[in-house]
Amino acid sequence: MCGICGWIDFDRDLGDPDARQALAEMTASMLNRGPDGGGNWIGGAAALGHRRLAIIDKQGGHQPMTLQEDGRAALVLVYSGETYNYRELRQRLAALGHCFTTNSDTEVVLHAHREWGHRDPRVAVSELNGMFAYALWNTTERELLLIRDRLGIKPLYYYPTEHGVLFGSEPKAILANGLAKRVMDSDGFRRTLSSVADPHITAFRGMREVPPGHIVRVSREGIQQVRYWKLTDGGHTDNLPATVRRVRELLEDTIQRQLVADVPLCTLLSGGLDSSAMTALAARFSGEQIRSFALDFVGYTENFIAGPMCATPDGPYAQEVAKFVGTDHTDITLSADDIMDPDVRASVLQARDLPFTSGDTEKSLYVLFRLIRKHSTVAMSGEGADELFGGYSWFHDPAHVQADAFPWSGAKLDMARQSLDAGLVEKLDLPGYLDEQYRRALAEVPALTGPASADPHERRMREVCYLFLTRFLPSLLDGEDRLSMVSGLEVRVPYCDHRLVEYVFGSPWAYKTFDGREKSLLRAATADLLPRSVVQRVKSILPPIQDPTYDNMLRTRFTALLNDPNAAVAPLLSVDRCKALLTGHSKIRWVECILNLQDFLTCYNVSLRI
């Protein structure tokens, strides 16, 4: 896992001192993503930077990495992520005559492009199983390829310029170059408020994401996007018992692939079905005792208050699983002071590069990851299982399923109306923006085939599953990547293995709910590994802090903000409406989002053009 960045300018030699300094600053901005080393490569129109977090082949694998031909660099690669099948690919390439000087997966990716991608890069990248974002510069063709994994696990941004492009693992790498402007316009603000992943728009005007499953080609002729992977309808023919068996086979293979590391590895264990099944399989296949970590808050279990999608506290279940499967388990217990610490808030903002909108959750995860990093360099997460297997209550609520909209978008719309200036709300037209995004997403959904296609509910659930995998999950993956990598912790997500995603997505919704509840396939495939209490546990989200001290801290800071007419966020707010947010626990979470926006505008010196 690493951080990458670069600059292509077809009308300039980037070897001059000013350009070298700019590249150095872009690379340095990602020091936390790669604390184990860094390097730059400059050649004519191309300048590539890299920061390394060493996971595989700690002594080799330094980047930027070149493939030499006739005594010169023919291909130059900066790579972030992991290719889990690199050993099999290495054997195939060696049999074809390729010679390797390291044991790293990076070198395998480089040779894969030379062997299979010289005519069409989609052929080479389709061979990779993993999570990755990388840039490949062809010195002969003077062409840059920006490539991102199928699900969007690893982030990759780019910013077109007059004569080329800037790119980076994070917006901060791009913003470190003076060619990038720190402007948020109406589209960027809508994107921030909507909670709908759209790679074509970011918080910063002119900046884009490389879409998941895509290659962006940059040449003197311009910038072109090419898709190499998408969800399709494979015509699921397995019966229910065979489907359950195949899910188990894919999970076992995926976990074993993702256990490979030359550094300490652990699991994130909440006591829910997803993380518990993952931890149980990791414990079964690991050659040594697995470490597991769980998040808790002071007094949380003793004073627990059930809420929407959070029916039971995690602690007792996590401890039961750890004992049942035999992990070396640690509960990391946080307090309101830990979460409200100004240094924590600043670090999360710096990690996310946008006004984060998940209340206290992201600060909790940041502190959790920072403390885990003292013991492990790699952590396995259950992220993606709810979107894949239908875990959220939205999947099972007829009102949300039948609503002609994103199932999760209603709350953000309500909160925007309750806090923003009325004129701004009208100008933004968030309902219209979300409807446009929704229609665009529906147009992508692969048509259902086979007997299930005659069932209107099966057809609708195919759409809902697609929406969650392509418009909801990417935002969660982006947040998890940023909050972990800022502490130099690599998080792997086995449930996002593209083979598993393709297979489960293609299975009928009736299979995913065959026992009358959520995540039926996952439960049936892993029930033998877990305590019965965990198998039967109802889905519970990451626990929010329930300490009233935290809410009071937020109210105090928000009141001061509303009394400051010079606050950066002041032109966007209706003070009278905002005062109503100070009452009630659910509304106080939106208060936190507004405070985050204020910090973002101030710390990043963002110019609002709304």
Side-chain angles (χ1 to χ4, degrees), residues 9 43 77 126 128 158 181 213 218 285-286 298 303 382 394 396 428 433 440 466 530 550 558:
D9 191 320
L77 175 67
S126 295
L128 309 183
Y158 69 103
K181 306 305 179 187
V218 182
F285 293 114
S286 176
V298 174
N303 304 302
W394 294 308
H396 310 279
L428 290 173
Y433 169 80
R440 183 185 301 171
Y466 186 89
L530 302 169
Y550 185 74
F558 192 58

Side-chain angles (χ1 to χ4, degrees), residues 272-472:
L273 178 63
D274 317 334
S275 67
S276 299
M278 175 192 71
T279 298
L281 286 169
R284 170 171 291 192
F285 293 114
S286 176
E288 56 189 30
Q289 186 181 31
I290 285 286
R291 292 205 66 161
S292 60
F293 292 89
L295 172 66
D296 202 354
F297 295 100
V298 174
Y300 186 83
T301 300
E302 297 81 358
N303 304 302
F304 177 76
I305 302 173
M309 290 193 279
C310 194
T312 53
D314 286 346
Y317 293 94
Q319 292 164 14
E320 183 179 8
V321 171
K323 183 177 180 180
F324 190 84
V325 304
T327 69
D328 178 6
H329 184 70
T330 302
D331 289 317
I332 294 180
T333 305
L334 309 181
S335 68
D337 288 338
D338 293 326
I339 306 305
M340 204 62 186
D341 184 335
D343 290 339
V344 168
R345 295 181 65 85
S347 295
V348 171
L349 179 64
Q350 178 68 15
R352 293 291 275 125
D353 286 331
L354 80 165
F356 47 101
T357 55
S358 298
D360 60 271
T361 300
E362 291 183 319
K363 293 189 289 298
S364 301
L365 283 175
Y366 164 75
V367 178
L368 174 69
F369 292 152
R370 185 183 64 185
L371 295 175
I372 289 175
R373 183 60 177 87
K374 296 179 179 180
H375 309 281
S376 298
T377 310
V378 175
M380 300 178 76
S381 163
E383 198 75 87
D386 286 308
E387 293 78 9
L388 182 58
F389 291 100
Y392 296 118
S393 61
W394 294 308
F395 282 97
H396 310 279
D397 181 345
H400 283 102
V401 168
Q402 297 306 322
D404 196 22
F406 293 110
W408 63 87
S409 62
K412 287 292 180 67
L413 282 175
D414 292 340
M415 287 302 179
R417 296 188 190 103
Q418 293 174 29
S419 58
L420 299 181
D421 174 79
L424 177 60
V425 170
E426 182 177 359
K427 181 179 179 180
L428 290 173
D429 185 21
L430 282 174
Y433 169 80
L434 285 170
D435 186 66
E436 179 183 350
Q437 294 290 319
Y438 176 70
R439 303 297 162 194
R440 183 185 301 171
L442 285 186
E444 300 171 4
V445 180
L448 189 64
T449 60
S453 63
D455 184 342
H457 186 61
E458 283 283 351
R459 293 198 300 270
R460 177 54 181 165
M461 293 314 299
R462 162 63 63 87
E463 294 177 340
V464 171
C465 291
Y466 186 89
L467 295 176
F468 272 97
L469 285 169
T470 65
R471 298 304 194 273
F472 189 79

Side-chain angles (χ1 to χ4, degrees), residues 5 22-31 38-40 48-51 173 176:
C5 65
L23 179 64
E25 291 175 2
M26 294 173 70
T27 306
S29 72
M30 296 182 299
L31 178 64
N40 294 332
L48 309 183
H50 186 265
R51 291 296 317 182

